[in-house]
Amino acid sequence: MRTSRNFYSRYVNKNSYLSILIPVGLIIFSLIFYFGRFDNSNLSNELRAKSINTVYSITSIVSSPISLIKNGLESILEIQNIYEENQRFKEMQLLDSASFQEMVSMKLKIAQYESLLNASNDIEYDFRTSRIVGDFSNNFNSTLIVNSGKEENIKLDMPVSGSNGIIGRISHVGERLSRVLLISNINSRIPVIISEDGYHGMLVGQGRENPTIEYVEHIEKISIGDLVTTSGKGGIFPPFQLIGQVVGKKSNEIEISMFENIATLSHVKLLNYKLIKEN
Amino acid sequence: MTLSFKGYLLLNGFLLCFISFNNVLNFNLIDLTLILSILLYSIKWNESEWLVPFLLFAWGIFQDILLGMNLGYSGSIFLFFYVLSQITSINGLFEQQKIKFIIFIIALLILFIFKNLFIYFNYQLNYLSVGELSAFLIMVLLYPPLNLMIIYSQKKYEEIR
């Protein structure tokens, strides 16, 4: 026993213990920090929003050579696809003009019905287009960084959409940059309406591509292909903004596919909407 | 590996470059945090380099701010693999590559289970998927070439010094 202890202590000296104890202590500190979520306080959010400008500036300078190569390669691939896309667009043009006419006539009908019902158009929209400068949508805490901030009058919780539908909301606002919390983020919860019959549910981010809808009323009446839009409840998202469509159904939840492919987006719209007060 | 001033500059520059790649490289199956952890695990650190864990902790915070993670996430992963590297070298297992590889797989499995359990209990979500399992396997497959690369670089570094 004594021999083996001596043998071990010859190799494991004070330095060795400290070289393990220090990082272990730091791991425990990190875990307390992580699980305690102390960084969710207002002060911490403010510090995080302020530091993102500096952190992003440093990392974007360092990664700029790789970024240039990546953008160059993407441009070459895009040029290759232009001819095919042009042909496809020509074919779709006729269909699009027909659906555009249908949409305009529906909009006129809705306006007529609203005037007959004396319903007020109580929402006013405005938006700002921003470029995506950082895409971190590949992990369970999926976010984007966009190049608009307080200087452009961007505010916390502003809804963010692509050309086809809502993708998330602003979670941190810096001076020149803002962070977008995506629908697929594990912390994302959005009240939604499913199908033309307007069944309510809660869209929950799954940390991967397809989010699910939980707490759905009359789940048996929902079919694959039904549209999913925002409900407007909660006051963060305006109502009837497209999100996606139903692609799968379980006993207590629905899987949806988003209309917007975040990987292909380069710009987003930051929606600024307000309720018009009736006189 | 005993680090000189130049060595510290090199280490910090390397960490900054690697963390910055998150801005550009966005793969679903390859986690850059884990790749950096493989590299940290493969390096033979000196027992008296007490500054390194503090640096890793600080760079972890830096990465968390960039990725929008809760503070402490990246730092704890970096330090976890750093501690494993220290434990293997203290116990004389560092040169035994097969045992080191098995320890790495077990550590990765522990991390993987811990992450999924945390998500399950905290968010009531089953995060386990084919993609997640594939990401785990890719990390296991990436370990041998990255480990060889680090061993080779470290030998060269020692020779130059």
mmCIF file of all heavy atoms in Angstrom, chain B residues 20-59:
data_model
loop_
_atom_site.group_PDB
_atom_site.id
_atom_site.type_symbol
_atom_site.label_atom_id
_atom_site.label_comp_id
_atom_site.label_asym_id
_atom_site.label_seq_id
_atom_site.Cartn_x
_atom_site.Cartn_y
_atom_site.Cartn_z
ATOM 1 N N SER B 20 -13.645 32.305 -35.116
ATOM 2 C CA SER B 20 -14.147 33.175 -36.191
ATOM 3 C C SER B 20 -14.732 32.377 -37.353
ATOM 4 O O SER B 20 -15.587 32.881 -38.084
ATOM 5 C CB SER B 20 -13.027 34.069 -36.709
ATOM 6 O OG SER B 20 -12.503 34.832 -35.667
ATOM 7 N N PHE B 21 -14.257 31.142 -37.536
ATOM 8 C CA PHE B 21 -14.799 30.313 -38.617
ATOM 9 C C PHE B 21 -16.302 30.091 -38.462
ATOM 10 O O PHE B 21 -16.990 29.817 -39.434
ATOM 11 C CB PHE B 21 -14.101 28.948 -38.666
ATOM 12 C CG PHE B 21 -12.683 29.005 -39.162
ATOM 13 C CD1 PHE B 21 -11.819 27.950 -38.980
ATOM 14 C CD2 PHE B 21 -12.209 30.128 -39.828
ATOM 15 C CE1 PHE B 21 -10.511 28.008 -39.429
ATOM 16 C CE2 PHE B 21 -10.901 30.199 -40.281
ATOM 17 C CZ PHE B 21 -10.052 29.126 -40.077
ATOM 18 N N ASN B 22 -16.799 30.215 -37.226
ATOM 19 C CA ASN B 22 -18.248 30.067 -36.997
ATOM 20 C C ASN B 22 -19.048 31.075 -37.815
ATOM 21 O O ASN B 22 -20.196 30.838 -38.152
ATOM 22 C CB ASN B 22 -18.575 30.271 -35.520
ATOM 23 C CG ASN B 22 -18.258 29.058 -34.690
ATOM 24 O OD1 ASN B 22 -18.843 28.013 -34.881
ATOM 25 N ND2 ASN B 22 -17.309 29.193 -33.783
ATOM 26 N N ASN B 23 -18.410 32.225 -38.123
ATOM 27 C CA ASN B 23 -19.073 33.257 -38.921
ATOM 28 C C ASN B 23 -19.350 32.810 -40.340
ATOM 29 O O ASN B 23 -20.302 33.255 -40.964
ATOM 30 C CB ASN B 23 -18.147 34.485 -39.022
ATOM 31 C CG ASN B 23 -18.450 35.502 -37.974
ATOM 32 O OD1 ASN B 23 -19.518 35.480 -37.386
ATOM 33 N ND2 ASN B 23 -17.518 36.387 -37.738
ATOM 34 N N VAL B 24 -18.461 31.972 -40.839
ATOM 35 C CA VAL B 24 -18.496 31.614 -42.259
ATOM 36 C C VAL B 24 -19.000 30.192 -42.487
ATOM 37 O O VAL B 24 -19.823 29.947 -43.359
ATOM 38 C CB VAL B 24 -17.075 31.756 -42.869
ATOM 39 C CG1 VAL B 24 -17.129 31.633 -44.371
ATOM 40 C CG2 VAL B 24 -16.436 33.061 -42.467
ATOM 41 N N LEU B 25 -18.480 29.273 -41.681
ATOM 42 C CA LEU B 25 -18.813 27.868 -41.901
ATOM 43 C C LEU B 25 -20.016 27.472 -41.050
ATOM 44 O O LEU B 25 -19.976 27.564 -39.830
ATOM 45 C CB LEU B 25 -17.609 26.981 -41.563
ATOM 46 C CG LEU B 25 -16.302 27.377 -42.270
ATOM 47 C CD1 LEU B 25 -15.142 26.593 -41.708
ATOM 48 C CD2 LEU B 25 -16.407 27.173 -43.764
ATOM 49 N N ASN B 26 -21.065 27.061 -41.725
ATOM 50 C CA ASN B 26 -22.303 26.744 -41.029
ATOM 51 C C ASN B 26 -22.798 25.367 -41.463
ATOM 52 O O ASN B 26 -23.640 25.245 -42.337
ATOM 53 C CB ASN B 26 -23.333 27.841 -41.348
ATOM 54 C CG ASN B 26 -24.607 27.673 -40.583
ATOM 55 O OD1 ASN B 26 -24.628 27.076 -39.523
ATOM 56 N ND2 ASN B 26 -25.700 28.178 -41.139
ATOM 57 N N PHE B 27 -22.211 24.323 -40.863
ATOM 58 C CA PHE B 27 -22.600 22.962 -41.241
ATOM 59 C C PHE B 27 -23.559 22.396 -40.197
ATOM 60 O O PHE B 27 -23.406 22.672 -39.009
ATOM 61 C CB PHE B 27 -21.371 22.048 -41.288
ATOM 62 C CG PHE B 27 -20.278 22.558 -42.173
ATOM 63 C CD1 PHE B 27 -19.048 22.914 -41.642
ATOM 64 C CD2 PHE B 27 -20.471 22.682 -43.534
ATOM 65 C CE1 PHE B 27 -18.028 23.375 -42.450
ATOM 66 C CE2 PHE B 27 -19.452 23.144 -44.352
ATOM 67 C CZ PHE B 27 -18.228 23.502 -43.814
ATOM 68 N N ASN B 28 -24.488 21.587 -40.690
ATOM 69 C CA ASN B 28 -25.430 20.979 -39.752
ATOM 70 C C ASN B 28 -24.809 19.819 -38.985
ATOM 71 O O ASN B 28 -25.158 19.568 -37.848
ATOM 72 C CB ASN B 28 -26.667 20.482 -40.497
ATOM 73 C CG ASN B 28 -27.605 21.620 -40.806
ATOM 74 O OD1 ASN B 28 -27.686 22.588 -40.062
ATOM 75 N ND2 ASN B 28 -28.278 21.538 -41.943
ATOM 76 N N LEU B 29 -23.901 19.104 -39.639
ATOM 77 C CA LEU B 29 -23.375 17.884 -39.026
ATOM 78 C C LEU B 29 -22.016 18.077 -38.362
ATOM 79 O O LEU B 29 -21.560 17.207 -37.629
ATOM 80 C CB LEU B 29 -23.282 16.766 -40.081
ATOM 81 C CG LEU B 29 -24.619 16.312 -40.668
ATOM 82 C CD1 LEU B 29 -24.402 15.253 -41.717
ATOM 83 C CD2 LEU B 29 -25.545 15.775 -39.591
ATOM 84 N N ILE B 30 -21.375 19.177 -38.639
ATOM 85 C CA ILE B 30 -20.044 19.391 -38.045
ATOM 86 C C ILE B 30 -20.098 20.546 -37.060
ATOM 87 O O ILE B 30 -20.416 21.676 -37.417
ATOM 88 C CB ILE B 30 -18.982 19.643 -39.143
ATOM 89 C CG1 ILE B 30 -18.900 18.432 -40.071
ATOM 90 C CG2 ILE B 30 -17.619 19.926 -38.524
ATOM 91 C CD1 ILE B 30 -18.017 18.613 -41.265
ATOM 92 N N ASP B 31 -19.817 20.204 -35.806
ATOM 93 C CA ASP B 31 -19.845 21.199 -34.737
ATOM 94 C C ASP B 31 -18.420 21.719 -34.515
ATOM 95 O O ASP B 31 -17.542 20.960 -34.090
ATOM 96 C CB ASP B 31 -20.390 20.519 -33.468
ATOM 97 C CG ASP B 31 -20.635 21.507 -32.351
ATOM 98 O OD1 ASP B 31 -20.128 22.639 -32.452
ATOM 99 O OD2 ASP B 31 -21.330 21.142 -31.385
ATOM 100 N N LEU B 32 -18.202 22.997 -34.832
ATOM 101 C CA LEU B 32 -16.848 23.558 -34.711
ATOM 102 C C LEU B 32 -16.363 23.588 -33.259
ATOM 103 O O LEU B 32 -15.166 23.489 -33.004
ATOM 104 C CB LEU B 32 -16.807 24.961 -35.319
ATOM 105 C CG LEU B 32 -16.898 25.031 -36.849
ATOM 106 C CD1 LEU B 32 -16.907 26.482 -37.312
ATOM 107 C CD2 LEU B 32 -15.763 24.304 -37.523
ATOM 108 N N THR B 33 -17.291 23.708 -32.316
ATOM 109 C CA THR B 33 -16.911 23.694 -30.891
ATOM 110 C C THR B 33 -16.279 22.351 -30.539
ATOM 111 O O THR B 33 -15.268 22.294 -29.840
ATOM 112 C CB THR B 33 -18.155 23.924 -30.002
ATOM 113 O OG1 THR B 33 -18.835 25.065 -30.477
ATOM 114 C CG2 THR B 33 -17.809 24.105 -28.548
ATOM 115 N N LEU B 34 -16.869 21.278 -31.063
ATOM 116 C CA LEU B 34 -16.332 19.948 -30.764
ATOM 117 C C LEU B 34 -15.020 19.691 -31.492
ATOM 118 O O LEU B 34 -14.144 19.013 -30.970
ATOM 119 C CB LEU B 34 -17.365 18.871 -31.100
ATOM 120 C CG LEU B 34 -18.552 18.771 -30.143
ATOM 121 C CD1 LEU B 34 -19.516 17.692 -30.598
ATOM 122 C CD2 LEU B 34 -18.090 18.467 -28.723
ATOM 123 N N ILE B 35 -14.884 20.255 -32.701
ATOM 124 C CA ILE B 35 -13.617 20.083 -33.428
ATOM 125 C C ILE B 35 -12.489 20.762 -32.648
ATOM 126 O O ILE B 35 -11.407 20.195 -32.472
ATOM 127 C CB ILE B 35 -13.717 20.641 -34.865
ATOM 128 C CG1 ILE B 35 -14.645 19.748 -35.667
ATOM 129 C CG2 ILE B 35 -12.339 20.708 -35.531
ATOM 130 C CD1 ILE B 35 -14.767 20.079 -37.109
ATOM 131 N N LEU B 36 -12.778 21.951 -32.146
ATOM 132 C CA LEU B 36 -11.780 22.661 -31.343
ATOM 133 C C LEU B 36 -11.469 21.855 -30.078
ATOM 134 O O LEU B 36 -10.316 21.788 -29.637
ATOM 135 C CB LEU B 36 -12.301 24.060 -30.989
ATOM 136 C CG LEU B 36 -11.333 25.013 -30.311
ATOM 137 C CD1 LEU B 36 -10.029 25.119 -31.087
ATOM 138 C CD2 LEU B 36 -11.932 26.398 -30.183
ATOM 139 N N SER B 37 -12.494 21.217 -29.534
ATOM 140 C CA SER B 37 -12.289 20.388 -28.340
ATOM 141 C C SER B 37 -11.395 19.193 -28.645
ATOM 142 O O SER B 37 -10.569 18.807 -27.813
ATOM 143 C CB SER B 37 -13.628 19.890 -27.806
ATOM 144 O OG SER B 37 -14.442 20.982 -27.534
ATOM 145 N N ILE B 38 -11.537 18.604 -29.843
ATOM 146 C CA ILE B 38 -10.660 17.484 -30.242
ATOM 147 C C ILE B 38 -9.212 17.970 -30.237
ATOM 148 O O ILE B 38 -8.314 17.298 -29.730
ATOM 149 C CB ILE B 38 -11.023 16.949 -31.658
ATOM 150 C CG1 ILE B 38 -12.400 16.285 -31.658
ATOM 151 C CG2 ILE B 38 -9.967 15.963 -32.144
ATOM 152 C CD1 ILE B 38 -12.840 15.783 -33.025
ATOM 153 N N LEU B 39 -9.015 19.165 -30.804
ATOM 154 C CA LEU B 39 -7.659 19.710 -30.876
ATOM 155 C C LEU B 39 -7.107 19.964 -29.471
ATOM 156 O O LEU B 39 -5.949 19.658 -29.191
ATOM 157 C CB LEU B 39 -7.643 21.004 -31.700
ATOM 158 C CG LEU B 39 -8.144 20.866 -33.147
ATOM 159 C CD1 LEU B 39 -8.154 22.209 -33.849
ATOM 160 C CD2 LEU B 39 -7.292 19.891 -33.939
ATOM 161 N N LEU B 40 -7.948 20.477 -28.581
ATOM 162 C CA LEU B 40 -7.499 20.747 -27.210
ATOM 163 C C LEU B 40 -7.170 19.451 -26.480
ATOM 164 O O LEU B 40 -6.252 19.400 -25.670
ATOM 165 C CB LEU B 40 -8.582 21.515 -26.439
ATOM 166 C CG LEU B 40 -8.862 22.940 -26.910
ATOM 167 C CD1 LEU B 40 -10.066 23.520 -26.186
ATOM 168 C CD2 LEU B 40 -7.650 23.834 -26.684
ATOM 169 N N TYR B 41 -7.924 18.409 -26.796
ATOM 170 C CA TYR B 41 -7.695 17.105 -26.168
ATOM 171 C C TYR B 41 -6.418 16.465 -26.705
ATOM 172 O O TYR B 41 -5.720 15.766 -25.974
ATOM 173 C CB TYR B 41 -8.913 16.210 -26.438
ATOM 174 C CG TYR B 41 -8.790 14.796 -25.919
ATOM 175 C CD1 TYR B 41 -8.730 14.544 -24.551
ATOM 176 C CD2 TYR B 41 -8.751 13.717 -26.795
ATOM 177 C CE1 TYR B 41 -8.623 13.239 -24.076
ATOM 178 C CE2 TYR B 41 -8.640 12.421 -26.325
ATOM 179 C CZ TYR B 41 -8.572 12.187 -24.966
ATOM 180 O OH TYR B 41 -8.468 10.906 -24.489
ATOM 181 N N SER B 42 -6.111 16.716 -27.967
ATOM 182 C CA SER B 42 -4.943 16.077 -28.588
ATOM 183 C C SER B 42 -3.620 16.712 -28.175
ATOM 184 O O SER B 42 -2.580 16.074 -28.292
ATOM 185 C CB SER B 42 -5.060 16.152 -30.112
ATOM 186 O OG SER B 42 -6.229 15.530 -30.517
ATOM 187 N N ILE B 43 -3.656 17.955 -27.730
ATOM 188 C CA ILE B 43 -2.413 18.634 -27.337
ATOM 189 C C ILE B 43 -1.948 18.124 -25.972
ATOM 190 O O ILE B 43 -2.757 17.955 -25.066
ATOM 191 C CB ILE B 43 -2.635 20.175 -27.286
ATOM 192 C CG1 ILE B 43 -2.944 20.703 -28.684
ATOM 193 C CG2 ILE B 43 -1.414 20.890 -26.706
ATOM 194 C CD1 ILE B 43 -3.385 22.144 -28.727
ATOM 195 N N LYS B 44 -0.637 17.909 -25.856
ATOM 196 C CA LYS B 44 -0.088 17.532 -24.543
ATOM 197 C C LYS B 44 0.302 18.811 -23.813
ATOM 198 O O LYS B 44 1.305 19.446 -24.145
ATOM 199 C CB LYS B 44 1.124 16.614 -24.704
ATOM 200 C CG LYS B 44 1.586 16.043 -23.392
ATOM 201 C CD LYS B 44 2.639 14.977 -23.560
ATOM 202 C CE LYS B 44 2.915 14.340 -22.213
ATOM 203 N NZ LYS B 44 3.862 13.273 -22.306
ATOM 204 N N TRP B 45 -0.509 19.181 -22.838
ATOM 205 C CA TRP B 45 -0.289 20.432 -22.117
ATOM 206 C C TRP B 45 0.701 20.220 -20.976
ATOM 207 O O TRP B 45 0.752 19.135 -20.404
ATOM 208 C CB TRP B 45 -1.611 20.956 -21.535
ATOM 209 C CG TRP B 45 -2.656 21.209 -22.562
ATOM 210 C CD1 TRP B 45 -3.664 20.358 -22.907
ATOM 211 C CD2 TRP B 45 -2.795 22.348 -23.396
ATOM 212 N NE1 TRP B 45 -4.434 20.895 -23.899
ATOM 213 C CE2 TRP B 45 -3.920 22.126 -24.225
ATOM 214 C CE3 TRP B 45 -2.084 23.535 -23.549
ATOM 215 C CZ2 TRP B 45 -4.347 23.049 -25.173
ATOM 216 C CZ3 TRP B 45 -2.510 24.455 -24.487
ATOM 217 C CH2 TRP B 45 -3.628 24.212 -25.286
ATOM 218 N N ASN B 46 1.411 21.281 -20.646
ATOM 219 C CA ASN B 46 2.311 21.210 -19.493
ATOM 220 C C ASN B 46 1.484 21.375 -18.222
ATOM 221 O O ASN B 46 0.516 22.144 -18.200
ATOM 222 C CB ASN B 46 3.339 22.334 -19.616
ATOM 223 C CG ASN B 46 4.483 22.142 -18.656
ATOM 224 O OD1 ASN B 46 4.283 22.152 -17.449
ATOM 225 N ND2 ASN B 46 5.661 21.938 -19.186
ATOM 226 N N GLU B 47 1.911 20.663 -17.173
ATOM 227 C CA GLU B 47 1.144 20.724 -15.919
ATOM 228 C C GLU B 47 1.178 22.105 -15.268
ATOM 229 O O GLU B 47 0.281 22.477 -14.526
ATOM 230 C CB GLU B 47 1.715 19.708 -14.925
ATOM 231 C CG GLU B 47 1.386 18.286 -15.288
ATOM 232 C CD GLU B 47 2.214 17.309 -14.495
ATOM 233 O OE1 GLU B 47 2.797 17.697 -13.487
ATOM 234 O OE2 GLU B 47 2.262 16.133 -14.902
ATOM 235 N N SER B 48 2.246 22.859 -15.549
ATOM 236 C CA SER B 48 2.361 24.166 -14.876
ATOM 237 C C SER B 48 1.782 25.330 -15.686
ATOM 238 O O SER B 48 1.945 26.482 -15.312
ATOM 239 C CB SER B 48 3.823 24.443 -14.548
ATOM 240 O OG SER B 48 4.576 24.332 -15.728
ATOM 241 N N GLU B 49 1.114 25.026 -16.810
ATOM 242 C CA GLU B 49 0.490 26.100 -17.614
ATOM 243 C C GLU B 49 -0.875 26.445 -17.026
ATOM 244 O O GLU B 49 -1.891 26.030 -17.546
ATOM 245 C CB GLU B 49 0.339 25.643 -19.073
ATOM 246 C CG GLU B 49 1.619 25.354 -19.789
ATOM 247 C CD GLU B 49 2.425 26.598 -20.107
ATOM 248 O OE1 GLU B 49 1.998 27.709 -19.746
ATOM 249 O OE2 GLU B 49 3.504 26.452 -20.693
ATOM 250 N N TRP B 50 -0.885 27.212 -15.943
ATOM 251 C CA TRP B 50 -2.148 27.495 -15.269
ATOM 252 C C TRP B 50 -2.962 28.571 -15.973
ATOM 253 O O TRP B 50 -4.141 28.749 -15.686
ATOM 254 C CB TRP B 50 -1.887 27.916 -13.813
ATOM 255 C CG TRP B 50 -1.267 26.817 -13.023
ATOM 256 C CD1 TRP B 50 -1.296 25.482 -13.328
ATOM 257 C CD2 TRP B 50 -0.524 26.937 -11.820
ATOM 258 N NE1 TRP B 50 -0.609 24.762 -12.393
ATOM 259 C CE2 TRP B 50 -0.127 25.621 -11.439
ATOM 260 C CE3 TRP B 50 -0.152 28.005 -11.019
ATOM 261 C CZ2 TRP B 50 0.613 25.370 -10.296
ATOM 262 C CZ3 TRP B 50 0.591 27.746 -9.878
ATOM 263 C CH2 TRP B 50 0.972 26.443 -9.521
ATOM 264 N N LEU B 51 -2.307 29.279 -16.857
ATOM 265 C CA LEU B 51 -3.015 30.358 -17.548
ATOM 266 C C LEU B 51 -3.962 29.817 -18.628
ATOM 267 O O LEU B 51 -4.979 30.430 -18.934
ATOM 268 C CB LEU B 51 -1.973 31.302 -18.177
ATOM 269 C CG LEU B 51 -2.419 32.703 -18.550
ATOM 270 C CD1 LEU B 51 -2.933 33.453 -17.340
ATOM 271 C CD2 LEU B 51 -1.267 33.459 -19.186
ATOM 272 N N VAL B 52 -3.588 28.638 -19.179
ATOM 273 C CA VAL B 52 -4.365 28.080 -20.294
ATOM 274 C C VAL B 52 -5.849 27.868 -19.952
ATOM 275 O O VAL B 52 -6.721 28.285 -20.718
ATOM 276 C CB VAL B 52 -3.703 26.781 -20.828
ATOM 277 C CG1 VAL B 52 -4.558 26.113 -21.885
ATOM 278 C CG2 VAL B 52 -2.334 27.095 -21.402
ATOM 279 N N PRO B 53 -6.200 27.241 -18.800
ATOM 280 C CA PRO B 53 -7.639 27.085 -18.508
ATOM 281 C C PRO B 53 -8.396 28.411 -18.432
ATOM 282 O O PRO B 53 -9.534 28.501 -18.890
ATOM 283 C CB PRO B 53 -7.670 26.376 -17.158
ATOM 284 C CG PRO B 53 -6.297 26.113 -16.753
ATOM 285 C CD PRO B 53 -5.368 26.546 -17.815
ATOM 286 N N PHE B 54 -7.729 29.456 -17.908
ATOM 287 C CA PHE B 54 -8.387 30.763 -17.832
ATOM 288 C C PHE B 54 -8.606 31.343 -19.235
ATOM 289 O O PHE B 54 -9.634 31.948 -19.512
ATOM 290 C CB PHE B 54 -7.557 31.733 -16.974
ATOM 291 C CG PHE B 54 -7.549 31.363 -15.522
ATOM 292 C CD1 PHE B 54 -6.482 30.691 -14.961
ATOM 293 C CD2 PHE B 54 -8.651 31.650 -14.715
ATOM 294 C CE1 PHE B 54 -6.485 30.324 -13.628
ATOM 295 C CE2 PHE B 54 -8.666 31.279 -13.371
ATOM 296 C CZ PHE B 54 -7.579 30.618 -12.831
ATOM 297 N N LEU B 55 -7.603 31.104 -20.100
ATOM 298 C CA LEU B 55 -7.741 31.568 -21.489
ATOM 299 C C LEU B 55 -8.891 30.841 -22.188
ATOM 300 O O LEU B 55 -9.687 31.455 -22.892
ATOM 301 C CB LEU B 55 -6.443 31.311 -22.268
ATOM 302 C CG LEU B 55 -5.275 32.244 -21.985
ATOM 303 C CD1 LEU B 55 -4.026 31.760 -22.702
ATOM 304 C CD2 LEU B 55 -5.609 33.666 -22.422
ATOM 305 N N LEU B 56 -8.960 29.523 -21.948
ATOM 306 C CA LEU B 56 -10.034 28.739 -22.581
ATOM 307 C C LEU B 56 -11.402 29.194 -22.088
ATOM 308 O O LEU B 56 -12.360 29.278 -22.859
ATOM 309 C CB LEU B 56 -9.851 27.241 -22.287
ATOM 310 C CG LEU B 56 -8.651 26.568 -22.951
ATOM 311 C CD1 LEU B 56 -8.561 25.115 -22.527
ATOM 312 C CD2 LEU B 56 -8.756 26.671 -24.462
ATOM 313 N N PHE B 57 -11.454 29.512 -20.798
ATOM 314 C CA PHE B 57 -12.711 30.007 -20.218
ATOM 315 C C PHE B 57 -13.115 31.329 -20.893
ATOM 316 O O PHE B 57 -14.262 31.518 -21.306
ATOM 317 C CB PHE B 57 -12.520 30.200 -18.712
ATOM 318 C CG PHE B 57 -13.707 30.785 -18.007
ATOM 319 C CD1 PHE B 57 -14.829 30.016 -17.760
ATOM 320 C CD2 PHE B 57 -13.709 32.117 -17.598
ATOM 321 C CE1 PHE B 57 -15.931 30.554 -17.116
ATOM 322 C CE2 PHE B 57 -14.801 32.662 -16.963
ATOM 323 C CZ PHE B 57 -15.914 31.875 -16.716
ATOM 324 N N ALA B 58 -12.122 32.222 -21.056
ATOM 325 C CA ALA B 58 -12.403 33.530 -21.669
ATOM 326 C C ALA B 58 -12.806 33.383 -23.134
ATOM 327 O O ALA B 58 -13.768 34.016 -23.589
ATOM 328 C CB ALA B 58 -11.171 34.422 -21.559
ATOM 329 N N TRP B 59 -12.099 32.512 -23.863
ATOM 330 C CA TRP B 59 -12.462 32.296 -25.272
ATOM 331 C C TRP B 59 -13.831 31.629 -25.393
ATOM 332 O O TRP B 59 -14.543 31.849 -26.378
ATOM 333 C CB TRP B 59 -11.386 31.477 -25.987
ATOM 334 C CG TRP B 59 -10.183 32.288 -26.350
ATOM 335 C CD1 TRP B 59 -8.929 32.158 -25.859
ATOM 336 C CD2 TRP B 59 -10.132 33.391 -27.274
ATOM 337 N NE1 TRP B 59 -8.098 33.098 -26.413
ATOM 338 C CE2 TRP B 59 -8.802 33.869 -27.286
ATOM 339 C CE3 TRP B 59 -11.068 34.017 -28.088
ATOM 340 C CZ2 TRP B 59 -8.389 34.943 -28.083
ATOM 341 C CZ3 TRP B 59 -10.654 35.090 -28.872
ATOM 342 C CH2 TRP B 59 -9.338 35.539 -28.864
#
